[in-house]
Amino acid sequence: MIEVYRLFNAGHSRQALSKAEALAAAYPHFQLAQLIHGDLLAARIPSVAGRGNGSLLPKSGDRTTLAELREEAQRRLSALRERPPPGTIPSEFLALSRQHRHAIAVDASRSRLYLLRNTPTGLQWVADYYVSIGKAGLDKLVEGDARTPQGIYYVTSNLDPRSLRDFYGAGALPLNYPNAYDLRRGRGGSGIWLHGTPPSHFARAPQATDGCVVMSNPDLQALLRIAEPGATPVVIARRLDWIAPAEAQARARAFDSTLSAWSEARTEGDLARLQDLYLPDHRRSGRLAERMPNISDEIDQLRGRRVELKDRSYLYWRDAGGMMVVTFGEIIAGEKFGRTRRQYWMRSGPRWKVFHEEFTG
């Protein structure tokens, strides 16, 4: 489709028409492709009202469907014209351990999902795709409000398409909405997924879902192959802020001292200092939570043994105060097996404090 636009804008209308015809034939359920093909055909007949002006976009005011297709075309084009600066990464990904092989970031303002690979030299762009979000936009509050949540999430499972209705297309990747931060802010609802489209549709309008993030089935297939439940982070933001990796690393180092202080207080058995790093109403959850001791009992069980923290990951959510999702493995000296802990930190005045912990494995 982008090649059609390029050819037409360069004055090669015949080649553009040929390319559009092939695209429409290959994807008969891709409404935007059909419309562009029709526009190009109409452009060869100047007398047809409302056509033949070379816009290659449907006019507003015809029907709601045409307005939506016009917006879809604009979103697709703007996302490809306004690329993230080379070598930059979304500002939420301060540090990703080797346990996170890929990361996903959604920029709602561009109707775009970015797939990144975590390499030994840092995050690298793999591909980006057009997506649809909720009919009512972002900032989900309650069940049924047709809004897509904003925040930092993780893929929780990879659903077999054979177990789903055709509505979900090639498959689905449920997210852990509402997460601990959502619950703390009183956000409700459930069932937020990344999923595909039914066989009758190639894509949906930019804001057309009940709250999920929806992709074309061929694009979703790329995510289904790499998504790892519990280990693939998904950021959904109104607009992504792209920064240099060096800046992300500097922010991660600044938080290292906070996590180190937490670890040292625990190892040294300093209960008062450790408790001071938790909010009074902090909570615990997860598969191992019922077997985990409280903070004071945890210190007693350590008996001064050192704990090695491995594979640290820091994901930062920028809002009024700031929130950090921290994941790491921990191995207690003398024990054969470790466990994975995920903490949610938020600012309390000038300091970071834990308000939620999960034990994921």
Side-chain angles (χ1 to χ4, degrees):
M1 188 189 73
I2 300 306
E3 180 67 5
V4 172
Y5 278 89
R6 189 191 67 79
L7 288 168
F8 186 87
N9 289 333
H12 305 304
S13 59
R14 288 184 178 275
Q15 294 94 320
L17 176 59
S18 176
K19 183 73 70 172
E21 184 177 9
L23 179 64
Y27 297 96
H29 56 322
F30 189 180
Q31 290 178 297
L32 182 57
Q34 301 298 329
L35 185 64
I36 291 172
H37 181 218
D39 264 351
L40 282 168
L41 287 172
R44 299 173 63 84
I45 311 174
S47 62
V48 176
R51 298 290 187 237
N53 60 4
S55 70
L56 292 187
L57 292 173
K59 304 296 169 288
S60 61
D62 291 346
R63 292 198 306 271
T64 301
T65 300
L66 290 183
E68 290 173 342
L69 289 173
R70 182 173 186 270
E71 181 64 22
E72 178 186 338
Q74 291 174 336
R75 294 286 184 97
R76 287 178 180 271
L77 285 172
S78 63
L80 290 163
R81 290 185 184 127
E82 303 166 10
R83 305 297 294 165
T88 60
I89 61 175
S91 61
E92 289 81 6
F93 300 124
L94 299 189
L96 284 181
S97 79
R98 59 188 179 183
Q99 304 302 318
H100 300 76
R101 298 179 183 177
H102 293 85
I104 294 168
V106 175
D107 186 324
S109 71
R110 285 179 164 79
S111 297
R112 211 74 185 168
L113 180 149
Y114 298 86
L115 174 62
L116 302 108
R117 180 183 295 113
N118 192 14
T119 74
T121 58
L123 282 176
Q124 293 183 358
W125 173 90
V126 175
D128 54 277
Y129 310 99
Y130 168 80
V131 296
S132 304
I133 64 166
K135 299 181 185 78
L138 296 176
D139 293 326
K140 186 168 187 63
L141 292 172
V142 295
E143 187 80 32
D145 63 5
R147 292 180 178 271
T148 298
Q150 290 191 90
I152 295 170
Y153 302 101
Y154 281 87
V155 171
T156 60
S157 58
N158 191 331
L159 300 181
D160 188 335
R162 292 173 296 183
S163 68
L164 301 172
R165 294 186 290 120
D166 285 348
F167 176 80
Y168 298 103
L173 300 170
L175 306 181
N176 67 324
Y177 175 85
N179 64 21
Y181 194 46
D182 295 317
L183 294 173
R184 188 175 185 86
R185 295 184 298 164
R187 309 275 170 154
S190 61
I192 300 299
W193 297 359
L194 293 173
H195 67 79
T197 58
S200 58
H201 289 76
F202 180 81
R204 298 174 68 176
Q207 291 185 201
T209 81
D210 292 328
C212 292
V213 177
V214 174
M215 312 171 64
S216 71
N217 292 318
D219 293 345
L220 180 67
Q221 291 286 0
L223 268 61
L224 296 175
R225 288 192 291 269
I226 60 90
E228 298 178 277
T232 299
V234 178
V235 166
I236 304 175
R238 187 174 303 280
R239 180 178 292 273
L240 292 173
D241 178 29
W242 296 79
I243 62 175
E247 184 177 347
Q249 293 162 11
R251 295 180 185 180
R253 287 194 296 271
F255 190 82
D256 270 334
S257 59
T258 298
L259 188 61
S260 295
W262 172 85
S263 183
E264 290 167 6
R266 196 166 59 132
T267 297
E268 294 169 5
D270 191 332
L271 180 60
R273 185 154 59 101
L274 184 60
Q275 287 180 326
D276 190 46
L277 289 168
Y278 286 82
L279 288 177
D281 60 347
H282 75 276
R283 297 178 179 274
R284 289 182 166 185
S285 69
R287 289 179 293 171
L288 304 179
E290 67 280 0
R291 302 203 302 271
M292 290 299 298
N294 59 36
I295 295 175
S296 59
D297 289 340
E298 203 172 345
I299 285 180
D300 292 340
Q301 287 185 6
L302 285 177
R303 298 188 301 275
R305 291 178 294 170
R306 294 208 61 82
V307 181
E308 180 184 3
L309 303 188
K310 302 179 60 178
D311 300 324
R312 302 184 187 192
S313 291
Y314 301 150
L315 287 88
Y316 175 65
W317 181 250
R318 60 191 188 281
D319 60 8
M323 189 272 294
M324 193 82 72
V325 182
V326 181
T327 306
F328 54 88
E330 52 183 19
I331 299 178
I332 300 173
E335 295 188 2
K336 293 183 179 179
F337 303 102
R339 61 188 174 221
T340 301
R341 188 185 298 237
R342 180 166 294 147
Q343 297 178 324
Y344 288 75
W345 295 70
M346 64 186 300
R347 287 195 180 276
S348 177
R351 303 178 59 201
W352 287 100
K353 295 196 177 188
V354 179
F355 68 88
H356 188 84
E357 288 184 307
E358 299 171 356
F359 301 90
T360 61

